[in-house]
Amino acid sequence: MSDQIYQERIVALAKAKTGAGKLENPTRTARRDNPLCGDRVIVDVRLDGEGRIAEIGHQVRGCLLCQASASALSAVAVGRDAAGIAELRHDAERALGREPGETHEPFDAFAPVAAHKSRQECVLLPLEALKDALA
Amino acid sequence: MAGEGTGMSIGMSFDVAAVRGQFPILSEIIDGLPVHYLDNGASAQTPLAVIDAVRRYETTGRANVLRGVHRLAERATESYENARAQVASFLGVPTMEIVFTGGCTAAINLVAYSYGALLKPGDRILLSELEHHSNIVPWQLLRSRSGIELDMLPVTTDGRIDLSALPSLLTPKTKLVSLAHVSNVTGALLDVRTVVEAAKSVGAKVMLDGAQRAPHGPLDLPSLGIDFYAFAGHKAYGPNGIGALWGRPELMDAMPPFMGGGSMIGRVTLAETTWAPSPRRFEAGTPPIGPAIGLGAACAWMQALDWAAAHEHEMDLVQRLMDGLQKIDGTQLFGPAGLQNRYPVVSFMLDGVHPHDVAQTLDSFGVAVRAGHHCAQPLMERFDLDGTTRVSMAPYNDNSDIDVLLAGVAHAAKTLR
């Protein structure tokens, strides 16, 4: 039995639920569904005058990986604009082994998912939703 | 038709080891783990009899069918038509009433297109809320093409189609009732007699999606009184890319072709073309010959099995599974509570753990199950479910498959919430 995918850091991120919940009067909202597995993420953001995230909230109806990713994203999203979020996406892609290079906290926690291609979209779904919200 | 969902225990012995021995994949060790394959509802494994039949065609009789005069072509055609006879025998119908299709989805799409071409705007088709997407979407496409209307039978809290709603949903405008013979999510067996009686009272035809029923033994379609039956090869121990459709010949011969091409014509001129009778009318182009031969072998393999004993064995596994799950804190079964009128498909939820995480944990124990919406999103919406973890069994499953699965679920319950 080897379930390295559910390492402590991933489980801890999911349980932390950072940013979980709906924002009152968000500037932007976006929803992303994964039609293959049925996971669903809704991201609310409040932006400052320069397009940077001042506050973020997410509602995840999905697996532990999706919840952990939304939680990780919320922990580092504030103060970033669309370009800054795109950089986090690259960090996640690097953790998943889809791009070369070093990855950083918090998305480095998802390195165990590199060996599980069928679950990588679960990690990326919150990033996709946030990208849509900032588009 | 042995053990048609009766759940009766008649004390027969079933040599599961002998059955397992016919499936090479079940003795594989993958990443150090034995294979506990409980995802048969998605795709079943295939026995040597099927592998050998396909190999025999590819190595000793490969050619196109119904065209050539050379001996390999003769041999291929004979094997292909023999496969049609094997599928027909499995379903209890005349050989030339079987149409080979690309799968169960292709068979339903064929009926939606070709039977659908006979319908008029305002005609109605009755489905249910628990259908697989393949028995919803083709009809929605037909609706957008031709202006027919769709009605939906509701589902009871124990995961059965609620037939008490039949009288209110069937109207003289209803031309077809198309339902799952066995639910791919809950394992519930449809009460076909009640459906057929009600449908006939308004002149509607009945189609059954047999994808989850066919893998559990031969059928006697004439006794069901239905009009169309579809099933998939890969769920019934056969190859991928093949399925079968049975339809009443008078209906099939009244339906226009689904696809045009070679083999399906009477005569082609540049001005017009006439159609061959069914089944050729619906088998345009070179068919999937090897897969059809494999499906024929799978049907013959199933017919040779003692299904009274096999069904009892499958139901013993269902009982062992349900008993074990109920001992794990926070599990909820979704589907019929007992063994009556059901087949060995069991869905469950584990409080606080997403079904995909249950399935991923089970994979780490070497257990293969399916998790998610099972291509039945309307059913998930109806019960406000994220999805379920689905355990779908076949005669080759044994107690160890269930016991390792239960250990995996208990591990997920302990570590992921």
Side-chain angles (χ1 to χ4, degrees), chain A residues 30-100:
Chain A
R31 169 179 158 167
R32 270 282 180 140
D33 291 82
N34 182 341
L36 293 179
C37 65
D39 283 358
R40 174 191 307 169
V41 176
I42 299 170
V43 172
D44 297 329
V45 285
R46 192 174 356 266
L47 301 178
D48 67 15
E50 289 164 3
R52 287 188 299 254
I53 296 169
E55 200 176 355
I56 182 168
H58 62 79
Q59 299 157 75
V60 174
R61 188 158 183 171
C63 65
L64 187 132
L65 296 179
C66 194
Q67 293 172 36
S69 173
S71 186
L73 180 60
S74 298
V76 291
V78 172
R80 290 177 183 262
D81 58 10
I85 296 302
E87 182 45 44
L88 290 178
R89 166 69 182 246
H90 288 299
D91 220 27
E93 297 269 4
R94 287 191 286 267
L96 298 174
R98 294 158 62 127
E99 286 180 15

Side-chain angles (χ1 to χ4, degrees), chain B residues 125-295:
Chain B
I125 291 177
L126 180 57
L127 311 171
S128 87
E129 289 178 346
L130 65 59
E131 299 308 310
H132 189 283
H133 295 166
S134 62
N135 195 29
I136 296 175
V137 182
W139 308 110
Q140 291 175 334
L141 290 169
L142 174 64
R143 178 176 61 186
S144 59
R145 274 199 308 274
S146 70
I148 58 122
E149 302 289 338
L150 300 179
D151 297 301
M152 296 287 163
L153 283 160
V155 179
T156 62
T157 51
D158 65 345
R160 294 186 185 279
I161 298 173
D162 185 355
L163 299 184
S164 69
L166 273 172
S168 61
L169 288 171
L170 281 169
T171 76
K173 287 274 189 190
T174 308
K175 300 302 175 194
L176 181 72
V177 181
S178 185
L179 299 172
H181 194 179
V182 168
S183 163
N184 74 311
V185 178
T186 69
L189 172 69
L190 183 69
D191 176 356
V192 178
R193 180 175 299 181
T194 297
V195 172
V196 168
E197 277 177 14
K200 298 300 169 194
S201 74
V202 296
K205 308 300 180 196
V206 175
M207 175 163 185
L208 295 184
D209 165 3
Q212 298 295 330
R213 169 60 186 83
H216 301 287
L219 287 142
D220 178 18
L221 295 188
S223 74
L224 296 181
I226 59 169
D227 302 284
F228 299 102
Y229 199 86
F231 77 101
H234 70 102
K235 295 184 199 294
Y237 320 106
N240 294 307
I242 189 73
L245 171 68
W246 170 80
R248 282 192 187 280
E250 63 272 24
L251 286 171
M252 298 295 276
D253 283 335
M255 287 157 45
F258 179 35
M259 291 194 294
S263 297
M264 48 73 74
I265 49 92
R267 178 173 171 74
V268 177
T269 69
L270 293 181
E272 64 173 2
T273 296
T274 59
W275 319 128
S278 184
R280 305 269 184 256
R281 178 180 302 186
F282 300 106
E283 294 181 356
T286 298
I289 304 165
I293 290 166
L295 177 56

Side-chain angles (χ1 to χ4, degrees), chain A residues 35-38, chain B residues 38-39 41-42 129-136 182-187 209 212 235 334 345-349 354-356 359 369-380 385-392:
Chain A
L36 293 179
C37 65
Chain B
L38 292 163
D39 193 19
E129 289 178 346
L130 65 59
E131 299 308 310
H132 189 283
H133 295 166
S134 62
N135 195 29
I136 296 175
V182 168
S183 163
N184 74 311
V185 178
T186 69
D209 165 3
Q212 298 295 330
K235 295 184 199 294
F334 177 51
V345 176
V346 177
S347 269
F348 69 95
M349 290 79 74
H354 192 277
H356 282 144
V369 296
R370 180 75 170 268
H373 55 59
H374 313 297
C375 297
Q377 284 182 335
L379 181 66
M380 298 295 126
L385 297 172
D386 291 341
T388 72
T389 303
R390 182 187 71 179
V391 186
S392 50

